[in-house]
Structures are given as C-alpha cells and as structure tokens.
Amino acid sequence: MSSRLVIQQPQPMMVARDSDEWGSGICDCCQDVPECCFAFWCCPCFACVTTKKYGECLCLPLLDIYGVIPPITMSMRVSMRQRYGIKGTMCKDCVCATFCTACTWCQMSREMKRRNIPIILVGAKNT
C-alpha cells in the first residue's frame, strides 16, 4: 500500500480594486502638505527621489532642464498611467508636465503611495 503526500504552498495574490482614474487631482496638494512643500521649494530633488521610488534612475529628472517640454516628467507620467491603467492622453500629460511640473510630481508621488498594494496570502492554513 502506497500513500501519496501532496503539498500545496500558498500562492501570493494581488487584488487590485483601483479605478482607472488618478487618485488625486493635479492641484490636490493639500492632501500631503509636507511633500508638496518639498516639491515646490526643491522640485529637482523631489523629482529625483520620486523617480528612485518608482524604480528608475535617480538622476533621470535632471535631464528635464534641456528641453521646453520636460521630457522626463512627461515620460514618467505616461509610464505611471500605463503601469496603473489610468486613463489619459499624451496631450494632457504634455500640458501637465510643461505648465504644472511640481504639481505633476506631487500627483505621481501620491499615486504611488495610494497604489502600493500589499501582497495578501490567500488560502494559507496553519497545520
């Protein structure tokens, strides 16, 4: 008589219940006042820190000083929309990056905090 032992490990599962819209508006700086003050007084430093948290090169935003339209701010915003499935257009991203740079970085930082989804183990049994 042979017996068979089957072991199943719990699998990590992410459940995303986020919408396809930004979690906060471009001018909702009062949601995180210290962060917005940091972005207002030292936007290049804030952009570098936010970029690093997003998983990109720390100094990437410093390339924004070479163009009329900040290319890194715009591309980070587009990338974040793609990663989180947020609706929007390249035109709106361009306008936000060009005329509201500090507010755009604040919005992206708030979105990263809001969308930080912890992994929940489902079906784990204590034996």
Side-chain angles (χ1 to χ4, degrees):
M1 191 186 296
S2 69
S3 60
R4 213 167 105 190
L5 179 63
V6 177
I7 299 175
Q8 265 188 328
Q9 294 291 326
Q11 300 296 315
M13 181 177 168
M14 281 181 39
V15 178
R17 294 187 184 112
D18 289 318
S19 73
D20 58 355
E21 300 292 330
W22 288 97
S24 60
I26 193 78
C27 294
D28 288 342
C29 291
C30 292
Q31 287 186 356
D32 194 342
V33 174
E35 199 166 77
C36 286
C37 286
F38 179 25
F40 179 75
W41 293 110
C42 191
C43 190
C45 296
F46 182 78
C48 289
V49 169
T50 303
T51 301
K52 180 69 175 170
K53 287 179 186 175
Y54 190 67
E56 296 296 331
C57 177
L58 174 71
C59 297
L60 195 60
L62 298 179
L63 296 174
D64 274 353
I65 61 176
Y66 295 112
V68 176
I69 298 171
I72 304 305
T73 303
M74 183 174 161
S75 62
M76 283 288 292
R77 185 175 164 89
V78 170
S79 173
M80 193 168 288
R81 280 194 313 101
Q82 292 296 316
R83 180 180 286 183
Y84 296 136
I86 299 171
K87 290 181 186 174
T89 63
M90 293 283 284
C91 184
K92 186 171 182 180
D93 293 333
C94 181
V95 169
C96 290
T98 304
F99 298 107
C100 307
T101 305
C103 294
T104 298
W105 282 104
C106 284
Q107 182 187 37
M108 290 189 294
S109 178
R110 287 191 306 269
E111 196 66 28
M112 284 174 22
K113 286 180 182 177
R114 188 176 91 68
R115 303 257 182 168
N116 187 14
I117 305 166
I119 295 176
I120 300 169
L121 293 176
V122 178
K125 294 179 184 176
N126 189 6
T127 56

